[in-house]
Amino acid sequence: MNGNLKLAIQKKGRLTEKSLDLLKNCGLEIDSYKERLFVSARNFNVDILFLRDDDIPEYVQDGVADIGIVGGNVIEEKNSEVNRVRNLGFGKCKLMFGIPEEESLENPAELQDKVIATSYPEILNKYLDKNSVSAKIIEISGSVEIAPTLGVADYVCDIVSTGTTLKMNKLKKSLTVLESQAELIANKKLSENLSKINLFNELISRIDSALTAKKSKYLMMNVPGESLDSISKIIPSLKSPTIMPLADQELFAVHAVIPADRFWQIVEDLKANGASGILLLPIENMIV
Ligand code: PRP
Ligand code: ZN
């Protein structure tokens, strides 16, 4: 046992690549993992454990891993005692009812006495209780969507991300039970280990700056002097924009950090106000 922080991520699945991307955006150098169970980062005292996502909450609860990245759906289902530290903004999906294409299900009351196949019996049970209906739950651990075709269930209750799996099985989306995304979780006693909590705090601040950076872009453009006022009003800047005179006396270079999702809303306004040479650049990291 070394004193490294142990971070569990999904071994193979929807969250694997994006979890690794996030860690790389935090400056961690991680060797290719392939079939290995764990790798150490080369430049940070963290060991990455590759586990089945369903096992991650429990391993973090028991301290086998100190922290983990896993979907909120799995955390809810496993009911483990862990601290939910951050939403990570990726791996967004919904736990939904999937029903045969020709049927309809618009109200939880219509679930009465139905047979529902799911890998999420805990969450589904709570949902049924909350809506005061009773239905028969069939727990299946994989390929849940095939159950209606096989005639073993009326409906499924499963994770929908793009919706392709439902379509392939001639099912369609119905009621939503839970919205989920990747979350960072931590062992409840982590704060008792001083060296690990220091590593954890360092990692969290890197994660926060990577998340902020992802939501922001660096906007650069040239603006005629007389438009500076109107352009400044259009830019939703974190701080005031940087304005620099160019060799061409008429023009100024304007730089600003803007929320990424606002760019397409303001670009026509910027052009209409005389902006030219508009560039939008990704930001790798942002310390705020
Ligand atoms: C879910 C679900 C479907 C698939 C749906 O599995 O069980 O198989 O994703 O995605 P789609 O709407 O994009 O087709 P998940 O990624 O949670 O994997 P796991 O059950 O193996 O952990
Ligand atoms: Zn799983």
Side-chain angles (χ1 to χ4, degrees), residues 10 14 53-54 120 145 158-165:
Q10 188 180 26
R14 266 183 313 120
D53 64 342
D54 307 49
Y120 296 86
E145 289 89 350
D158 199 15
I159 293 299
V160 178
S161 146
T162 60
T164 334
T165 313

Side-chain angles (χ1 to χ4, degrees), residues 3 11-12 53 68 83 92 116 202 215 245:
K11 186 174 171 58
K12 190 163 169 285
D53 64 342
N83 289 332
K92 291 192 176 163
I116 308 162
E202 157 101 45
K215 285 191 220 136

Side-chain angles (χ1 to χ4, degrees), residues 17-237:
E17 280 310 312
K18 290 191 171 145
S19 302
L20 287 167
D21 284 349
L22 174 65
L23 298 176
K24 285 172 191 160
N25 285 339
C26 292
L28 270 57
E29 289 175 19
I30 301 155
D31 286 332
S32 118
Y33 57 102
K34 298 260 160 42
E35 292 306 312
R36 289 154 70 184
L37 192 62
F38 93 86
V39 293
S40 306
R42 256 182 283 137
N43 55 353
F44 196 92
N45 290 333
V46 60
D47 293 340
I48 299 161
L49 316 182
F50 295 93
L51 303 170
R52 273 188 60 218
D53 64 342
D54 307 49
D55 296 333
I56 292 177
E58 203 176 320
Y59 277 135
V60 171
Q61 170 186 288
D62 299 345
V64 177
D66 301 303
I67 59 177
I69 295 177
V70 66
N73 53 317
V74 181
I75 305 169
E76 294 277 340
E77 179 64 24
K78 299 297 169 188
N79 251 323
S80 304
E81 287 290 315
V82 294
N83 289 332
R84 298 171 79 159
V85 183
R86 287 284 188 283
N87 284 330
L88 297 174
F90 63 85
K92 291 192 176 163
C93 61
K94 290 178 179 175
L95 183 63
M96 300 184 89
F97 286 97
I99 66 170
E101 277 166 353
E102 63 285 358
E103 290 188 36
S104 88
L105 166 66
E106 277 156 17
N107 191 312
E110 296 165 40
L111 292 166
Q112 184 65 39
D113 296 330
K114 295 286 182 195
V115 182
I116 308 162
T118 189
S119 313
Y120 296 86
E122 280 290 320
I123 300 177
L124 178 55
N125 232 326
K126 281 188 197 144
Y127 178 86
L128 295 174
D129 277 356
K130 201 181 76 194
N131 288 287
S132 319
V133 281
S134 67
K136 184 173 177 199
I137 299 179
I138 298 196
E139 187 178 348
I140 302 181
S141 57
S143 305
V144 172
E145 289 89 350
I146 195 94
T149 315
L150 296 179
V152 296
D154 299 309
Y155 303 148
V156 302
C157 177
D158 199 15
I159 293 299
V160 178
S161 146
T162 60
T164 334
T165 313
L166 281 186
K167 270 211 188 95
M168 280 183 346
N169 289 282
K170 298 212 177 332
L171 301 173
K172 64 179 181 191
K173 297 179 203 171
S174 176
L175 306 168
T176 299
V177 177
L178 179 92
E179 300 203 15
S180 167
Q181 61 175 289
E183 294 183 34
L184 181 71
I185 55 172
N187 178 274
K188 291 219 158 181
K189 292 193 182 136
L190 187 62
S191 55
E192 291 169 15
N193 184 323
L194 198 63
S195 72
K196 283 194 174 180
I197 198 71
N198 284 338
L199 286 167
F200 178 63
N201 287 337
E202 157 101 45
L203 186 63
I204 284 280
S205 77
R206 291 191 190 194
I207 286 177
D208 284 343
S209 72
L211 293 177
T212 322
K214 225 169 105 188
K215 285 191 220 136
S216 309
K217 295 265 182 190
Y218 198 73
L219 173 69
M220 297 168 41
M221 63 197 156
N222 296 333
V223 173
E226 71 267 18
S227 307
L228 279 175
D229 265 359
S230 53
I231 293 267
S232 303
K233 288 196 186 102
I234 299 168
I235 304 173
S237 182

